[in-house]
DNA sequence: GCGTTAACTCAACTTTCTTGAGTGTTCAAG
DNA sequence: CTTGAACACTCAAGAAAGTTGAGTTAACGC
């Protein structure tokens, strides 16, 4: 039972500078625009140090001057903001039948999104497709490869051979070798791999409803149901990268134990409605069923809300998050409906009077959520000081 | 909905050095004894830098020379080890009826442990008791206050007013104001507050069965049942410090939903046996019941194992830990029995062929587990590089 | 108007790390 | 047995990045 120490790096001038640069970028990003003195106070560095770092970042093209603000006495503040075209991130979501790609700029604005159907789901096919899509994205947006900071890849978990393997939506050929490695060498970029729920959570944290939150959970409606976890500003991956597989835990619905995923997921609603003779194939079908107040859909929503209430109790009591966000491949209307119907457990550490956020919130939904989340992984990394992380 | 950025510090020479010192200590601690070159390789620093740092640590009394080892070619390695009396940590566990204290040295060896009954559980009484115990511990062990690196405090959660407040084992008067603050100013020491489960987990990681593990869970039998979570080498506290309240989630036992804590906890076994006309008041009673193969106890153990199996499924699928450890106020025999009887869920991300650790292991049990865990919090902090953490 | 306040710059200084040359010890090949 | 390679470590010089303190500039308020 040999346990190796996780490699951590010592601080030297070079790594210290890189750390400080990311710290400054993060501070500016958080408030939008900021002046040197403000950043110095926030970071515990001297104004001089911040000045030097900012002049570096300006010449690297990561920051722009943003005019002067005179607030109170003293010399007016020269303000700085993130330069949108200071860098770009490529986001990829791999599903068994298609690959979704997105190119976003440094502030997270998508410049290009695309869906490419997959002929087959072999590893080589996927790598080829993603690589071609990257070239296409760069060409269409006139972005140079040098300006790309990395690629985020969202793949359906679980990774490796586990007790959940063999189920529904598998990708063959990925269980051997490190997927990140394969993509990194093929795309010649730094690569970050995550599951859909964590990626969606990070997207929400970078540019969505979870901006500034450091501890929250994200329930992601994908094919099944995934749990994204952010603790201390970092996505929780678990020892083998498979944290958040909430779909297979047992919850109580109408007094009977069922798998959470079988009560609340896209497959679940499709199966339920099919059992009632109603066919849905995409999110638009669900939206129109909802607006026509289809009683079968409403019945499903009710039991989904029940299942969710159990899940909420577990998530809240185990993680004590600032909030729980619901999002993914489910129309806004339905998410809102579920949120309204979900009983907030009383016996929960989250049931506290001094809350700043609702216990349950709706996040971004839609087909591209996870793909944009993949890109957000790259941005997150660019704005997170990491002196000790070995690469 | 204002979200403030978590304060993070920039790197300057002083903080870089402190970071590197902790990194060196951690590297040495991990392997027991080590030479300069070995540490340099592990930390990404130059041998020269490591040399300078080690000479610092020697003169601060945190390291000792440990003789020469000639391994293969080259100059024999001058080895260094942690100096046990290089520093001390005070551990405190506060319960409603008693305060437990321990003084441990830098390698974690307890020099002094004590149980002090509490006349009442008012805040002032507790602070007085702890303070007196600290003085006593220092006097009896001849340790100077300057050598104390801090105090770890274990208190029953949940912290603050929550949906679980008002239950069984409360301490009045702690919901207002920061407990850490109160202890820090009273003891004039750096203070770290945790719940019992997380503290026990950190103890196990520092000196127990979880040495070197960075991602694991600890199920702690206290009054109720608590979940300690270590992710990335850090205890997970949640947004409000109340993560790990697993006792109140619903699990299935014999087909019926029950609160986990009512099926598996010290109170649970007492209540169950009382219902069968068997009275137990302490762990020794349980041990003798077990060795006499009491059928009521065995029946309880069986249903506890069932409940645990459900809990295990949740923990594994949500956290994907390296292992789950069982420990706390329950005799070893009983823990071993439960572990042997607990069905390992098949539908779990932890059910994988390439495991290095068993899925369920027994940790340290006994009355002082959490108290020593409290002290371990201080040691953990001393061996963890933290350049960016604001204090 | 004029002093106070505050942001920012400049130049000198400090800390800490890295680099490269040099020393001493051990092992192994000729 | 000699010689050279391998390796740990030290010394001294140099580089990188931070801090400090004095000085400059602009706005506010009395």
């Amino acid at each position: 039972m040999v346990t190796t120490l996780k490699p951590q790096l010592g601080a030297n001038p070079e790594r210290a500078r890189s750390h400080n640069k990311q710290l400054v970028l993060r501070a500016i990003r958080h408030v939008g625009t900021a002046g040197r003195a403000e950043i110095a106070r926030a970071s515990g560095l001297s104004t001089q140090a911040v000045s030097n770092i900012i002049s570096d970042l300006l010449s690297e093209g990561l920051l722009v001057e943003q005019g002067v603000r005179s607030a109170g006495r003293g010399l007016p503040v020269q303000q700085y903001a993130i330069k949108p075209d200071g860098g770009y991130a490529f986001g990829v979501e791999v599903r068994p039948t298609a690959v979704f790609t997105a190119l976003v700029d440094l502030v997270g604005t998508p410049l290009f999104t695309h869906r490419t159907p997959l002929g087959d789901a072999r590893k080589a096919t996927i790598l080829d497709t993603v690589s071609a899509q990257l070239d296409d994205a760069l060409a269409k947006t006139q972005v140079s490869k040098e300006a790309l900071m990395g690629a985020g890849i969202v793949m359906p978990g679980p990774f490796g051979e586990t007790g959940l393997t063999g189920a529904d939506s598998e990708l063959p050929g990925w269980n051997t070798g490190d997927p990140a490695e394969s993509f990194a060498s093929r795309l010649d970029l730094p690569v970050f791999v995550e599951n859909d729920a964590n990626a969606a959570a990070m997207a929400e944290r970078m540019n969505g409803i979870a901006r500034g939150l450091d501890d929250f959970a994200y329930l992601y409606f994908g094919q099944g149901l995934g749990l994204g976890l952010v603790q201390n500003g970092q996505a929780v991956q678990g020892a083998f990268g498979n944290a958040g597989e909430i779909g297979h835990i047992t919850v109580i619905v109408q007094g009977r134990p069922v798998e959470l995923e079988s009560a609340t997921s896209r497959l679940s609603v499709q199966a339920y409605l099919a059992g009632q003779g109603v066919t849905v194939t995409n999110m638009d079908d669900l939206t129109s069923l909802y607006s026509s107040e289809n009683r079968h859909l409403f019945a499903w929503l009710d039991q989904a809300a029940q299942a969710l209430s159990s899940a909420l109790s577990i998530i809240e009591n185990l993680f004590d998050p600032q909030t729980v966000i619901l999002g993914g491949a489910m129309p806004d209307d339905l998410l809102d409906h579920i949120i309204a119907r979900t009983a907030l457990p009383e016996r929960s550490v989250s049931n506290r009077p001094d809350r700043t956020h609702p216990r349950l919130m709706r996040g971004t939904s839609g087909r591209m959520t996870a793909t944009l989340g993949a890109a957000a992984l790259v941005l997150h990394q660019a704005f997170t000081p990491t002196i000790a992380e070995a690469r």
Side-chain angles (χ1 to χ4, degrees), chain A:
Chain A
M1 211 140 69
V2 181
T3 54
T4 51
L5 195 61
K6 189 179 71 166
Q8 254 192 300
L9 297 181
N12 58 18
E14 183 189 344
R15 296 199 272 258
R17 177 60 147 226
S18 151
H19 172 96
N20 288 348
K21 273 186 189 170
Q22 286 166 305
L23 197 64
V24 167
L25 286 173
R26 165 175 173 270
I28 294 178
R29 182 173 203 287
H30 181 70
V31 291
T33 72
R36 295 159 163 83
E38 183 182 352
I39 299 167
R41 281 188 297 267
S43 62
L45 292 171
S46 61
T47 12
Q48 185 58 59
V50 173
S51 263
N52 295 339
I53 291 164
I54 283 189
S55 104
D56 262 28
L57 293 172
L58 280 172
S59 61
E60 287 170 31
L62 294 173
L63 290 182
V64 276
E65 300 199 343
Q66 193 79 77
V68 171
R69 176 181 53 110
S70 69
R73 291 185 173 182
L75 208 158
V77 183
Q78 172 63 56
Q79 306 240 98
Y80 298 91
I82 305 294
K83 190 164 174 236
D85 61 352
Y88 299 88
F90 190 54
V92 179
E93 183 185 1
V94 180
R95 295 194 201 160
T97 57
V99 165
F100 295 75
T101 48
L103 189 74
V104 312
D105 67 17
L106 194 51
V107 298
T109 311
L111 307 181
F112 171 92
T113 61
H114 198 251
R115 173 183 190 278
T116 317
L118 278 175
D120 63 86
R122 288 180 306 124
K123 189 166 174 174
T125 311
I126 290 172
L127 287 174
D128 288 346
T129 307
V130 169
S131 177
Q133 282 304 305
L134 173 57
D135 293 342
D136 192 37
L138 292 177
K140 291 221 172 91
T141 54
Q142 299 280 337
V143 168
S144 84
K145 176 116 187 220
E146 285 70 51
L148 258 193
M149 299 185 303
I153 316 273
V154 162
M155 294 182 66
F159 301 107
E161 198 181 321
T162 75
L164 305 182
T165 313
D168 19 29
S169 66
E170 286 300 319
L171 294 178
W174 289 98
N175 281 353
T176 54
D178 183 9
E181 203 42 65
S182 308
F183 279 106
S185 65
R186 180 57 179 267
L187 303 179
D188 193 24
L189 283 173
V191 160
F192 309 88
V193 174
E194 268 292 358
N195 62 48
D196 44 15
N198 269 347
M202 291 311 293
E204 219 63 73
R205 180 167 183 269
M206 292 300 287
N207 278 299
I209 200 172
R211 264 194 91 113
L213 296 190
D214 277 335
D215 294 279
F216 66 97
Y218 190 114
L219 273 167
Y220 179 87
F221 285 91
Q223 192 81 339
L225 188 71
L227 179 66
L229 285 171
V230 175
Q231 281 281 338
N232 240 319
Q234 299 285 339
V236 171
Q237 304 193 303
F240 306 96
N242 288 332
E245 281 289 341
I246 200 173
H248 302 283
I249 70 173
T250 303
V251 295
I252 311 293
V253 175
Q254 280 147 1
R256 287 208 312 275
V258 296
E259 258 200 351
L260 177 58
E261 203 161 83
S262 75
T264 170
S265 69
R266 200 172 53 194
L267 283 181
S268 151
V269 68
Q270 279 176 347
Y272 182 93
L273 292 178
Q276 311 293 330
V278 183
T279 310
V280 293
T281 54
N282 55 35
M283 277 171 55
D284 290 343
D285 292 350
L286 283 175
T287 306
S288 48
L289 275 182
Y290 183 78
S291 45
S292 68
E293 301 186 8
N294 179 284
R295 67 187 171 89
H296 299 306
L297 178 57
F298 275 49
W300 179 85
L301 287 171
D302 271 353
Q303 61 88 46
Q306 274 190 44
L308 223 54
S309 183
S310 295
L312 197 59
S313 163
I314 292 172
I315 294 168
E316 287 182 344
N317 282 315
L318 260 50
F319 293 102
D320 192 19
Q322 287 167 291
T323 187
V324 177
I325 299 174
L326 233 59
M330 193 65 72
D332 283 355
D333 288 346
L334 275 70
L335 290 176
D336 286 335
H337 185 100
I338 292 177
I339 289 173
R341 296 297 178 96
T342 299
L344 301 175
E346 282 202 16
R347 300 277 294 158
S348 164
V349 296
S350 289
N351 179 17
R352 49 193 304 144
D354 56 347
R355 301 190 58 83
T356 56
H357 297 261
R359 285 167 70 178
L360 203 49
M361 299 167 78
R362 175 165 60 75
T364 311
S365 65
R367 147 193 289 186
M368 296 307 286
T369 307
T371 312
L372 295 173
L377 298 173
V378 180
L379 299 183
H380 170 253
Q381 200 266 347
F383 292 110
T384 302
T386 51
I387 199 164
E389 308 288 296
R391 303 260 23 230

